Amino acid sequence: MLSTNRLFIRPAVSLQRRCLAPKSTRVVASSSPYAALSATQKFRCVDERSAHHFHTLSHGEIRNFHPRSTSRQQTTMVPRKAALALTPKARELFQKMIAATGSKGIILKYEISSQHSLRMAFKFDLIKDPEKDLTAQDEGVSLEVLDDGVTPKSPSESWNDNLPKLFIHHAAFMKVLGGTLDVEFNPEVGDMTPKLFDREGHEMDPNA
C-alpha cells in the first residue's frame, strides 16, 4: 500500500535583483533559494572587488523594496538615468541661485497654487537644511557636467557627491518623470518659474 503521508516540496524560485551601484554592478540574491522566506530573510550582496556582505530584509521590505525609497546616504540602488533633464539655462540659474543664497540645493514641488485656488502648480523652494527639507523619497538631479562642459553627470557619478542638486519632491516625481525642466526668470524680483516639457516637447499642464 502506498503511503498517503508523503510530502512533496516544490523548490521556491530564488529571489534575485540586479542593481547598479556607483562604479560597480551588484547582484542581490536569496541566500537560500530552495527555502521559503521566514519573517526576515538574510541576503547576500556580491561584487567583483569585495567580500560577501550580508543584510536582512523583512517581508514588508521585500514587497516594497524600491530603489527610490531607500535613504540617500545608505542606498546602493542608483537609477541609470536622471529622472528629469535640465536645460543649460536652468542648470546655470540654479547654480547661481544656490551660490547667491548659500542654500544646499533647490527642490521642485507640485502642490496647490498660492495664487489660484483649487489649482495645482509647479514651484521651487530653496533647501536650507536637508535633514528637515528633504525626505528619503525626494530624488536629486545633478547640476554638474562632465569635462566636455555639456554632458550632465549621471546618477552613478553624482549620487553621493554631497554637492547641491535640484531635488524632485516625491509628490511631483511621477508627474515630471522623463520630462525636461526649463526656467523663466524675473530679474527684477528674482523669481524663478518652472517650465516643464514632456518627452514630445509639449509644455506640461500641472492641472492636466
Side-chain angles (χ1 to χ4, degrees):
M1 179 181 295
L2 294 175
S3 172
T4 58
N5 296 324
R6 185 173 296 174
L7 179 63
F8 293 92
I9 301 176
R10 183 178 181 180
V13 177
S14 172
L15 291 181
Q16 190 172 45
R17 180 186 297 274
R18 292 186 177 271
C19 57
L20 177 66
K23 306 301 182 185
S24 70
T25 300
R26 295 186 175 186
V27 178
V28 181
S30 170
S31 61
S32 180
Y34 296 101
L37 291 175
S38 57
T40 60
Q41 178 72 20
K42 189 173 287 187
F43 281 72
R44 183 177 71 240
C45 294
V46 184
D47 64 29
E48 295 177 352
R49 298 174 300 169
S50 65
H52 296 174
H53 300 284
F54 291 89
H55 58 92
T56 300
L57 295 178
S58 69
H59 274 182
E61 289 171 325
I62 292 169
R63 287 195 302 269
N64 299 319
F65 192 72
H66 193 280
R68 305 189 192 282
S69 65
T70 52
S71 74
R72 193 170 299 106
Q73 291 77 19
Q74 298 176 354
T75 183
T76 58
M77 301 291 291
V78 180
R80 295 179 180 274
K81 185 178 179 180
L84 190 64
L86 307 179
T87 65
K89 175 185 175 183
R91 191 181 305 276
E92 181 181 1
L93 280 173
F94 293 151
Q95 291 173 330
K96 288 182 177 179
M97 182 66 72
I98 290 169
T101 59
S103 59
K104 305 300 182 181
I106 295 174
I107 187 166
L108 172 66
K109 294 183 175 181
Y110 176 63
E111 58 188 23
I112 295 177
S113 173
S114 60
Q115 300 177 344
H116 306 284
S117 60
L118 303 179
R119 300 282 290 176
M120 300 297 290
F122 297 116
K123 61 170 291 189
F124 294 123
D125 275 341
L126 294 175
I127 299 171
K128 293 297 185 180
D129 184 349
E131 294 297 322
K132 295 180 179 179
D133 298 337
L134 296 174
T135 72
Q137 288 76 40
D138 301 329
E139 184 164 310
V141 177
S142 178
L143 301 178
E144 310 300 316
V145 294
L146 300 180
D147 293 339
D148 61 9
V150 177
T151 307
K153 281 191 174 182
S154 66
S156 64
E157 296 169 304
S158 61
W159 196 254
N160 291 314
D161 61 10
N162 295 318
L163 295 175
K165 293 179 174 61
L166 169 80
F167 287 90
I168 306 172
H169 191 273
H170 55 274
F173 188 85
M174 294 307 298
K175 187 73 175 177
V176 305
L177 180 62
T180 299
L181 175 62
D182 197 7
V183 175
E184 284 186 351
F185 181 65
N186 185 338
E188 296 182 358
V189 295
D191 282 347
M192 293 193 303
T193 303
K195 289 183 69 68
L196 287 130
F197 300 89
D198 61 21
R199 292 179 175 87
E200 286 72 41
H202 304 299
E203 186 170 356
M204 294 183 186
D205 181 356
N207 294 282

